[in-house]
Amino acid sequence: MRIRVLKPFLTALLLAAIPLHAQKIKVIVDQDARGPATTDMQSILIFLQSDKFDVLGITTVSGDQWVKEETQRTLRLLEIAGRTDVPVAMGAEFPLLNSKEESERWEALYGKLRYKGCWSDFSKRPESTPPAFREGYHEPDVVPTLVEGEPHIKAIDEDAAHFIIRMVHKYPGEVVIWAGGPLTNIALALRLDPQVATLAKSLVLMGSGMYADNGGISGVDARREFNWWFDPEAARIVLRAPWKKLTITPIDISVKTRFTTEMKATIAKAGTPVTQYLDKYSLPGYMWDEIAGAAMIDPSIITGQKQLYMDIDIDHGASYGKTLLWDSKAQVPPYLRLANVQFDIDAEKFYKLYMDLMTRPVRKP
């Protein structure tokens, strides 16, 4: 009888002894998924290829492209990666207040912006640019023919904001919300249910800029970074919410990395569906979003970070959409939140992790 009583007790002890790091991280990947094979898609692949994550779903939001096109490209990526088990919830088509017309009014007053995402016309790029990156401007309901192939699977019948709300309630205190694009979906979720911030485990996002002399959308000014500029009002709502933990990857660290043709060629040798996709469609450039995902797998790739109070300017004048920041010791209003902001990276260690992930065999769901 004693043995029978002890068995459940010993089993419970053994389960309790399993280290926390062995548990998968429940994550919602919120992304303005420009495709094919851009930094947006490569960051999604980090989550799909790693066995450290339980990807609850991918939520799409207009930014680099319109959300309908992004959603189709994301669904196709899931097919290529063999991860059709991951649901996709389509999110916001427009920012809360900002608009293509507002951006044109701003440019007429203050100067041209180098990049405006889905509001851009790329048709005048050199002929050597791949077709997917020479698109002219198109309306939000237009989905161009996908060079990577049309998906056979569909998005779920639930919008991104409600999906986020449902997941944090289903797994209170366990869900990391990861954002690689404009913050519209998360702002809408917070407005529908303010508990999102306190129920989530943490928020990790790529956005903002501070001291870098490149990477911004208006020249050398890093403080006008695309993700936050595209929907500044959403960024303000999200940044002021009471998250348990807030981690930010700014362009200051992104521009310290580079996806090269040599890395691309090395990856291609693996000959998997994912590496074939990357070999065919990816282009050299800064690894904007990948860092924010990779650092969740191995935090040691980040070699320098600061705690800063972060906010954004929403005055519809010359400073609209610019990052605001204060030192952690500054006297600030109580609605501002401290964030862990990444600034330095062990680039070689990051590249090694990234290339290992991209060349792994297709994961079984």
Side-chain angles (χ1 to χ4, degrees), residues 99-114:
S99 66
K100 182 174 182 291
E101 293 73 23
E102 171 71 12
S103 73
E104 290 166 352
R105 182 198 71 85
W106 190 96
E107 287 180 302
L109 291 170
Y110 306 113
K112 287 291 183 182
L113 297 168
R114 297 190 301 179

Side-chain angles (χ1 to χ4, degrees), residues 33-293:
R34 184 185 183 197
T38 61
T39 180
D40 301 336
M41 294 306 197
Q42 292 184 48
S43 65
I44 292 173
L45 282 169
I46 283 176
F47 292 100
L48 298 178
Q49 294 285 96
S50 172
D51 56 8
K52 189 161 184 175
F53 299 106
D54 176 9
V55 183
L56 300 177
I58 299 169
T59 52
T60 54
V61 60
S62 285
D64 285 329
Q65 288 172 330
W66 290 112
V67 72
K68 287 185 174 69
E69 179 179 350
E70 294 171 352
T71 302
Q72 291 300 101
R73 293 191 185 277
T74 301
L75 293 167
R76 181 62 186 139
L77 178 69
L78 291 175
E79 292 178 339
I80 292 167
R83 292 303 308 275
T84 55
D85 59 301
V86 177
V88 176
M90 187 163 68
E93 188 163 79
F94 300 104
L96 299 184
L97 287 179
N98 201 11
S99 66
K100 182 174 182 291
E101 293 73 23
E102 171 71 12
S103 73
E104 290 166 352
R105 182 198 71 85
W106 190 96
E107 287 180 302
L109 291 170
Y110 306 113
K112 287 291 183 182
L113 297 168
R114 297 190 301 179
Y115 180 77
K116 300 197 295 179
C118 61
W119 299 332
S120 300
D121 181 351
F122 299 117
S123 61
K124 295 180 182 178
R125 284 183 168 180
E127 287 293 322
S128 58
T129 306
F133 303 102
R134 278 191 282 119
E135 287 183 356
Y137 172 77
H138 64 77
E139 295 297 324
D141 287 338
V142 174
V143 177
T145 301
L146 307 190
V147 295
E148 66 269 40
E150 304 297 328
H152 298 92
I153 57 174
K154 296 183 182 298
I156 62 174
D157 189 20
E158 183 178 29
D159 66 82
H162 283 93
F163 178 82
I164 292 168
I165 293 167
R166 182 164 62 87
M167 287 298 104
V168 297
H169 278 274
K170 185 176 181 179
Y171 304 107
E174 298 182 52
V175 179
V176 176
I177 300 173
W178 183 95
L183 299 171
T184 318
N185 288 338
I186 302 169
L188 289 170
L190 287 164
R191 280 295 181 255
L192 288 166
D193 184 354
Q195 284 189 298
V196 165
T198 52
L199 286 173
K201 182 177 181 180
S202 67
L203 174 67
V204 177
L205 59 89
M206 187 276 151
S208 79
M210 282 150 273
Y211 312 113
D213 60 1
N214 57 11
I217 62 171
S218 56
V220 298
D221 186 358
R223 295 199 183 190
R224 185 170 284 108
E225 178 273 332
F226 175 76
N227 285 348
W228 287 17
W229 164 85
F230 189 79
D231 195 343
E233 284 75 18
R236 170 161 286 191
I237 290 169
V238 172
L239 290 168
R240 293 186 177 189
W243 306 98
K244 293 186 180 78
K245 183 179 180 182
L246 174 59
T247 301
I248 297 174
T249 302
I251 60 177
D252 299 72
I253 190 172
S254 298
V255 297
K256 295 179 181 180
T257 63
R258 190 81 181 173
F259 179 66
T260 65
T261 53
E262 292 77 16
M263 291 168 65
K264 179 177 174 177
T266 301
I267 288 169
K269 293 175 183 177
T272 69
V274 165
T275 60
Q276 290 168 356
Y277 167 81
L278 294 173
D279 183 43
K280 193 168 185 179
Y281 303 115
S282 65
L283 296 173
Y286 296 128
M287 302 182 79
W288 304 103
D289 296 2
E290 295 92 333
I291 300 168

